[in-house]
Amino acid sequence: MIKSLLDYLSFTILMLTSVTNLSAQPAPTIYEAWVPGFTQSLENTHDMALPAWGPYSTKFNGISHVPAKNDGIRFDVVVQPSLYFRNVTPLASTQRESGYHPWDASADLSYFAYRFQLEWKDQVYCDVSFSKVDENSRLIRAAYVNNTDRTRSMALNIFASIQYPYQKRMAIIKPHDVVFNQASDYLDFTDSIKAFNYNLIYDGQLRGQIRDENAASKTAIVTGKNSGEQLTYSLKNDRNLQHGVLLIRYRSVDQDDAQLSISLNNNTGTTATLPYTKGYSLVPIAVEDIPNGALNLTLKTLNKGKIALDGFMLLQQDEIKHIKFQEESINRIPQEIKSDLRHAAIYKYDDIEEYYGILWTDSLADRRILFDDNPDKALAHLDHLIKKDHRSTNKSKIGGNNRDYFENIYAAPIVVAPGQEVNRYAYVVYGNSMEEVLRKMKDFHFDEPTIERIYRQQPAISDRWQVNKAGEPYIFSQQLMAATTLTNVNYPTFAGNKYLKHTTPGKRWSAFYTWDAGFIGLGYSKLNLGRALESLNAYTMGVNEQSAFLEHGTPLPVQAYLFNELWNDTQNKEYLAYFYPRLKRYYDYLNGLESSSTRKLKSNLIQTWDIFYNSGGWDDYSPQVYMHRHKRAKSTAATVNTSHQIRFAKLLKMAATHLGYRQDIKNYDEDIQLYSKALQTWSWDETSGYFGYVQHDEQGEPTTILQHDSGVNFNMGIDGISPLIAGICTPEQQKRLVDHIFSKNNLWTDQGITAIDQSAPYYNKDGYWNGRVWMPHQWFIWKTMLDLDEPEKAIQIAQTALDVWKRETEATYNCWENFSVETGNGGGWHQFGALSSPVLNWFNSLYRPGNVTHGFNVWPLAQKFYAENNGFEGQFRLFADQGEHSSSLLFCLNDAYDYQATLNGKSVPLNKVLDGLYTIKIALEKKHNKIFNLEIKPQ
């Protein structure tokens, strides 16, 4: 009896934990302050703390709601201003340029706004904003502005719809007390053979997991690649199944029958054959003596017959005939609930537990319904742009392909005189009942003071910026970057068997991106520490999670630099203790542990081609393209991965020193020495003055540096200078590499640092990376220049990038991926955050008082700016490798003062770059004297 009770309690705790984790997200308080215990809400989740309302649609611009059930279904409200009776304005699609621009936002998305350009440029436009009323409600404000000398007629379309993460679904017909157990809900999945990705499952999925709309659970577990794979489940039986049946739903992945060993509570198992079946089928397996209470079920593969396992049930033999799986229709059409409110609608969708309400200002607006998955088509037809001659109480219907359904509120004409602003408003609300929604809607008011109070009570991120006078010309371009980065959030994304809200480089991509996300986090660190924190948490893993980190795309460990940057900004010890083991696990995998294949070569150079084709994020980087084209990946090592692994080790070594982990420090030192020797021995090319791709023979022994057909080093580019970032170059190498970076004959251009040396025979001015300027690797070089005591060059990189960004953003209102060396024009995706976000870091360092910036070798122990940012006190540790060591720091202070500085109590030169921006050069002569104190005071 006691054992049964304990088993039941254990099972209950397990289930409660699973349910809690299913819907867990970080605490929203991380956006305001990191109070003690703040890391607890980061555990067991990779979600974001953002509210249920937000810019989450992957299709059309507007506002979306994530229901509490969190099953991937989303409620969308698309807001589209346009010119009346004109079809020149495309619907605001997130998948192409469509005339709207992220304009401003708050970090917690309680406010965000877009500008719709109706006549370029700012002749006629509409600013559409979404403001928090309360947790359940948002205000939509559409402000039409006419800057021409002619009166304009405008229109406003509001579309409401339900969006699913799948196109079809399977329904299960079964007795009500029979439980269908999803295959993906396993406790453990072990394999007899561990491939390189055994501990690095792509996109953060579970081991063996695939998405499959033909599965009842929308996901399946593929097993049987090897004999000896084992799935373990924790179940509960309270149905007295002494002579029961395990009913498995599966389909074959290859052409073979599958054989499984099945055991309950570790008893001797039953052997079962699962015959080949193209589609999903059911196979019953008799299981004797199924006790009541908690059960442990183990499925073990006995051959290499691969199957996709959907799930299983425990039931009686005579219940099998009642089990059916059939495709279920999806009802996208809501029930509209009648109310006594005018110009209002309350909707209830079958698959969402909440109720939704929309209340709008124009009582004469037409009500329409659209049967198509693309409202853009409706707005392209002339007869759908004309308002009805007389308003009917019935909704008009717009036919289409019947793949989706939209409720449409169409207000027109909205007449705007020259020089006038005319506003239209709407409220959107959700509640757990019709009565709750109706009660809230009756409390909404459209009087101007109320509306404007709501609109202005949620400050945008740019409202909080304190900027020195020299930085004021850059505010607008930074505001657009901040708005783009903060609103590039999608729902749903799927990882770890859960649906998540997640940042994206641009809404064109609804997926994870590892190295891009690292730069998103670095940008967030200058906008809101909580957003940066959850970004780092999303891509790093606890020790009990299956993957070493969340991997999608280029495995360059930018999260290591984000980890370091957040320490630089906070010196928060709870943060450090929580994230250090997560980053160490990341490092260890890249170091060859946990089934990793990164250390196969005998040169000791790291190789990540098994993980992804792209070593440094530079898609068409010349030697990378050549190597893949000639199928040399197995025998070739790029320079960048080993270089960043060295810097990763150095960053973790600093953290380990602070935490007192002596053995870790020793291990990092050994790795740094090993990798440094490998690069110096095999990769340095004296002729070109660049490090090169290293080729190896069939035994993995290093042979030669990869050369272009012309005979020159194929790696004359930013991969070839990456050991500079690692900090392992000789003085002679350092000088040559720095000269390459800042020479206009090589890597430097009027737009910044390009990816390939312009003197190389493989340089291509029309390439994607080759021949264009990108921001991310410039960020690494910028920080490195401070380590090399070259602050003027660091500022040159930052200032050039800020000027390029300002010019192209102000010209187009777009936030670009990259910039042409030849023309300086922005290119790539037009609403891009991610790899362009270093402009936020540079703007903060140069123009926002209250910022100190240093290279990778400096570890802050404590620091504090004066209340008016007119002074600073700090203690730092310089991690010098040998002998005399120097470094530089940048300080951005209140530009209303001049300053003087002391280093360890002695006066030190403070170089004024411009009002408010200063550089300090640090030189410590004695190797043991690593800690230094800095104080800056107004004169």
Side-chain angles (χ1 to χ4, degrees):
M1 178 68 181
I2 293 176
K3 183 180 185 301
S4 298
L5 180 60
L6 290 174
D7 289 342
Y8 176 79
L9 288 173
S10 298
F11 177 83
T12 302
I13 292 170
L14 175 66
M15 290 299 102
L16 285 173
T17 302
S18 299
V19 171
T20 301
N21 292 345
L22 190 66
S23 58
Q25 65 178 41
T29 52
I30 62 172
Y31 296 147
E32 298 299 326
W34 294 2
V35 297
F38 71 97
T39 57
Q40 294 176 11
S41 73
L42 300 175
E43 296 177 355
N44 303 315
T45 184
H46 296 274
D47 206 346
M48 305 178 75
L50 294 174
W53 287 110
Y56 305 138
S57 175
T58 57
K59 290 186 175 182
F60 299 109
N61 184 53
I63 191 166
S64 302
H65 181 259
V66 179
K69 192 176 180 181
N70 194 29
D71 58 359
I73 298 174
R74 188 184 70 231
F75 174 69
D76 281 357
V77 178
V78 181
V79 181
Q80 178 64 52
S82 63
L83 297 171
Y84 183 47
F85 205 10
R86 298 286 301 279
N87 58 359
V88 295
T89 303
L91 194 69
S93 171
T94 62
Q95 300 302 303
R96 65 172 189 276
E97 287 194 66
S98 51
Y100 79 92
H101 305 271
W103 207 249
D104 218 339
S106 63
D108 64 358
L109 298 182
S110 57
Y111 166 83
F112 55 97
Y114 301 93
R115 174 159 294 187
F116 290 76
Q117 288 288 338
L118 305 181
E119 287 187 15
W120 186 261
K121 178 180 186 184
D122 295 331
Q123 291 296 295
V124 182
Y125 64 87
C126 183
D127 285 338
V128 176
S129 62
F130 305 88
S131 302
K132 177 181 177 180
V133 181
D134 54 37
E135 292 301 326
N136 292 48
S137 313
R138 293 298 188 269
L139 168 70
I140 300 172
R141 179 182 185 268
Y144 293 86
V145 176
N146 180 7
N147 286 325
T148 72
D149 57 2
R150 292 184 297 141
T151 299
R152 290 289 192 270
S153 289
M154 315 291 188
L156 180 65
N157 276 282
I158 297 176
F159 296 93
S161 68
I162 181 175
Q163 297 296 321
Y164 292 80
Y166 43 80
Q167 297 301 312
K168 66 177 182 178
R169 64 183 175 196
M170 302 301 297
I172 308 173
I173 300 173
K174 60 180 181 60
H176 75 279
D177 55 347
V178 171
V179 176
F180 178 73
N181 300 279
Q182 295 184 174
S184 59
D185 287 338
Y186 60 73
L187 285 181
D188 197 16
F189 183 158
T190 57
D191 197 347
S192 55
I193 299 174
K194 294 185 178 181
F196 78 91
N197 60 347
Y198 184 76
N199 291 101
L200 195 69
I201 304 96
Y202 208 58
D203 275 349
Q205 307 302 310
L206 298 181
R207 196 168 293 139
Q209 189 172 41
I210 60 170
R211 303 293 300 278
D212 188 348
E213 292 189 348
N214 291 309
S217 56
K218 318 294 186 305
T219 179
I221 299 298
V222 175
T223 186
K225 181 180 179 181
N226 302 303
S227 176
E229 292 179 354
Q230 188 165 289
L231 285 163
T232 305
Y233 296 88
S234 180
L235 311 174
K236 180 188 175 185
N237 173 40
D238 57 5
R239 303 184 66 239
N240 298 312
L241 301 173
Q242 281 80 13
H243 302 284
V245 170
L246 177 69
L247 187 65
I248 294 179
R249 187 170 192 261
Y250 76 101
R251 64 173 172 83
S252 300
V253 176
D254 54 24
Q255 301 295 316
D256 298 322
D257 295 347
Q259 290 187 325
L260 294 179
S261 169
I262 300 164
S263 62
L264 279 172
N265 291 344
N266 302 317
N267 293 332
T268 303
T270 299
T271 299
T273 298
L274 279 60
Y276 168 78
T277 174
K278 186 176 181 180
Y280 276 100
S281 297
L282 297 172
V283 60
I285 301 165
V287 183
E288 296 292 330
D289 300 324
I290 304 177
N292 278 3
L295 298 175
N296 181 282
L297 171 68
T298 300
L299 307 177
K300 186 176 182 180
T301 61
L302 300 178
N303 67 347
K304 288 190 175 183
K306 288 173 67 177
I307 60 169
L309 185 63
D310 182 10
F312 52 86
M313 307 177 199
L314 290 172
L315 67 171
Q316 303 281 11
Q317 177 72 38
D318 61 359
E319 291 177 317
I320 296 176
K321 61 180 178 291
H322 300 299
I323 305 297
K324 290 183 180 179
F325 290 80
Q326 61 188 32
E327 187 173 344
E328 180 182 48
S329 61
I330 296 174
N331 180 21
R332 301 174 185 271
I333 302 176
Q335 174 191 0
E336 184 169 347
I337 299 170
K338 293 183 179 180
S339 71
D340 57 356
L341 291 174
R342 298 176 62 227
H343 49 275
I346 299 176
Y347 303 124
K348 177 65 179 70
Y349 293 89
D350 288 352
D351 292 316
I352 298 180
E353 295 176 359
E354 291 91 337
Y355 292 71
Y356 293 100
I358 303 178
L359 187 71
W360 57 92
T361 48
D362 192 340
S363 60
L364 298 179
D366 281 350
R367 299 288 307 282
R368 309 189 294 191
I369 54 177
L370 169 65
F371 293 89
D372 203 295
D373 60 353
N374 190 351
D376 218 354
K377 294 180 181 178
L379 296 185
H381 290 280
L382 189 63
D383 56 348
H384 297 154
L385 300 170
I386 306 170
K387 200 164 182 290
K388 282 187 174 183
D389 292 335
H390 61 279
R391 185 169 181 267
S392 171
T393 56
N394 296 321
K395 302 175 188 176
S396 59
K397 296 182 180 180
I398 302 175
N401 59 23
N402 291 315
R403 293 176 183 168
D404 209 337
Y405 176 91
F406 291 83
E407 290 278 346
N408 177 215
I409 301 155
Y410 181 39
I414 302 169
V415 179
V416 188
Q420 188 181 22
E421 176 180 318
V422 174
N423 298 339
R424 290 292 184 268
Y425 307 103
Y427 289 98
V428 290
V429 59
Y430 79 90
N432 294 319
S433 68
M434 180 270 290
E435 293 79 11
E436 182 183 358
V437 170
L438 185 58
R439 185 171 61 252
K440 281 184 170 292
M441 292 174 73
K442 287 182 177 179
D443 289 337
F444 292 148
H445 297 282
F446 285 119
D447 61 281
E448 199 74 16
T450 299
I451 289 288
E452 290 304 306
R453 177 184 57 79
I454 294 171
Y455 168 65
R456 299 184 188 285
Q457 71 183 1
Q458 307 294 341
I461 194 76
S462 58
D463 293 336
R464 301 184 177 184
W465 286 348
Q466 179 186 351
V467 178
N468 284 337
K469 187 175 182 179
E472 290 176 359
Y474 300 92
I475 291 176
F476 176 65
S477 61
Q478 294 296 311
Q479 173 188 314
L480 296 190
M481 178 79 264
T484 298
T485 305
L486 291 170
T487 58
N488 271 344
V489 185
N490 285 344
Y491 176 90
T493 50
F494 187 81
N497 221 24
K498 303 175 182 70
Y499 288 103
L500 310 170
K501 296 184 291 294
H502 192 75
T503 57
T504 176
K507 284 182 173 287
R508 174 186 177 186
W509 302 278
S510 181
F512 305 100
Y513 285 88
T514 303
W515 95 295
D516 295 71
F519 280 103
I520 292 171
L522 284 167
Y524 281 165
S525 71
K526 305 312 172 191
L527 298 175
N528 182 274
L529 290 173
R531 291 289 295 264
L533 184 78
E534 64 189 4
S535 175
L536 182 59
N537 195 63
Y539 281 83
T540 58
M541 299 286 179
V543 294
N544 295 321
E545 295 183 83
Q546 289 184 356
S547 288
F549 58 94
L550 200 164
E551 161 56 22
H552 181 112
T554 302
L556 204 66
V558 187
Q559 283 71 28
Y561 299 90
L562 173 56
F563 167 70
N564 182 250
E565 194 75 1
L566 284 174
W567 170 261
N568 293 343
D569 290 339
T570 66
Q571 293 87 64
N572 186 291
K573 293 181 180 178
E574 181 183 339
Y575 156 81
L576 193 69
Y578 172 81
F579 275 104
Y580 175 81
R582 298 170 77 94
L583 270 295
K584 184 178 183 300
R585 190 179 180 200
Y586 197 154
Y587 173 86
D588 285 344
Y589 184 89
L590 294 177
N591 221 36
L593 300 183
E594 291 197 50
S595 78
S596 170
S597 61
T598 59
R599 294 284 297 275
K600 294 184 298 185
L601 300 175
K602 295 179 182 178
S603 62
N604 290 319
L605 295 171
I606 283 181
Q607 189 189 55
T608 62
W609 307 122
D610 282 348
I611 302 173
F612 197 60
Y613 79 93
N614 200 327
S615 62
W618 34 52
D619 304 64
D620 61 343
Y621 188 71
S622 300
Q624 180 173 277
V625 171
Y626 177 89
M627 179 204 69
H628 285 301
R629 185 178 296 151
H630 291 81
K631 302 186 185 306
R632 298 188 186 181
K634 290 184 178 180
S635 61
T636 305
T639 305
V640 67
N641 307 106
T642 305
S643 297
H644 280 276
Q645 189 70 354
I646 293 170
R647 181 51 69 184
F648 199 166
K650 289 183 175 183
L651 295 176
L652 289 182
K653 175 186 172 181
M654 294 193 292
T657 301
H658 195 93
L659 293 167
Y661 298 156
R662 293 184 179 180
Q663 184 58 49
D664 287 356
I665 297 169
K666 181 176 182 293
N667 294 340
Y668 295 136
D669 280 336
E670 291 174 355
D671 288 345
I672 292 165
Q673 183 177 2
L674 179 73
Y675 292 137
S676 300
K677 181 179 179 181
L679 284 173
Q680 288 289 3
T681 303
W682 306 114
S683 186
W684 174 249
D685 175 36
E686 182 66 29
T687 302
S688 66
Y690 285 94
F691 288 81
Y693 272 39
V694 178
Q695 298 182 102
H696 300 71
D697 60 23
E698 292 182 356
Q699 287 72 44
E701 296 287 353
T703 55
T704 58
I705 288 174
L706 182 65
Q707 292 184 331
H708 181 256
D709 290 343
S710 64
V712 302
N713 185 346
F714 222 144
N715 199 30
M716 295 167 63
I718 46 180
D719 180 289
I721 60 97
S722 57
L724 197 65
I725 298 165
I728 57 96
C729 297
T730 66
E732 293 77 14
Q733 290 170 340
Q734 177 180 306
K735 182 180 185 308
R736 292 189 69 182
L737 292 174
V738 171
D739 287 345
H740 289 324
I741 293 171
F742 292 96
S743 168
K744 278 199 169 185
N745 294 321
N746 303 125
L747 295 174
W748 186 260
T749 76
D750 290 339
Q751 324 308 329
I753 301 167
T754 190
I756 297 289
D757 190 313
Q758 297 163 94
S759 69
Y762 38 86
Y763 173 76
N764 175 17
K765 66 181 180 180
D766 296 322
Y768 183 51
W769 275 80
N770 185 358
R772 299 191 73 85
V773 169
W774 294 68
M775 301 299 178
H777 288 281
Q778 293 192 93
W779 184 86
F780 296 128
I781 299 169
W782 170 66
K783 296 277 281 188
T784 299
M785 289 304 111
L786 297 175
D787 281 331
L788 300 183
D789 206 12
E790 297 273 11
E792 297 82 9
K793 288 183 169 60
I795 292 172
Q796 179 182 340
I797 293 170
Q799 188 61 63
T800 301
L802 289 175
D803 288 337
V804 169
W805 187 259
K806 177 181 182 294
R807 181 192 69 220
E808 293 303 299
T809 303
E810 289 180 351
T812 64
Y813 292 162
N814 288 332
C815 292
W816 298 107
E817 283 188 76
N818 53 60
F819 303 88
S820 167
V821 168
E822 189 174 31
T823 67
N825 297 155
W829 191 243
H830 65 293
Q831 292 174 358
F832 195 73
L835 304 180
S836 295
S837 63
V839 297
L840 294 166
N841 302 78
W842 291 320
F843 176 63
N844 275 260
S845 291
L846 269 56
Y847 296 116
R848 289 190 61 199
N851 280 282
V852 55
T853 308
H854 47 74
F856 300 125
N857 292 334
V858 174
W859 180 264
L861 298 171
Q863 56 190 29
K864 181 181 179 180
F865 281 88
Y866 294 1
E868 296 182 15
N869 291 320
N870 61 344
F872 174 85
E873 295 177 1
Q875 186 178 70
F876 302 87
R877 183 185 181 105
L878 180 62
F879 280 76
D881 293 326
Q882 56 188 2
E884 181 181 65
H885 197 81
S886 59
S887 189
S888 296
L889 292 86
L890 302 180
F891 285 91
C892 188
L893 299 157
N894 189 326
D895 61 359
Y897 302 84
D898 289 321
Y899 299 91
Q900 58 188 9
T902 58
L903 172 65
N904 293 330
K906 296 181 180 180
S907 179
V908 63
L910 188 61
N911 178 50
K912 183 177 181 179
V913 180
L914 49 83
D915 287 347
L917 181 63
Y918 298 84
T919 65
I920 295 180
K921 295 190 174 186
I922 305 298
L924 303 179
E925 297 181 359
K926 296 181 180 178
K927 185 177 180 181
H928 66 274
N929 185 17
K930 298 177 181 179
I931 295 177
F932 62 95
N933 296 284
L934 268 175
E935 186 173 8
I936 302 175
K937 293 181 178 181
Q939 290 182 350

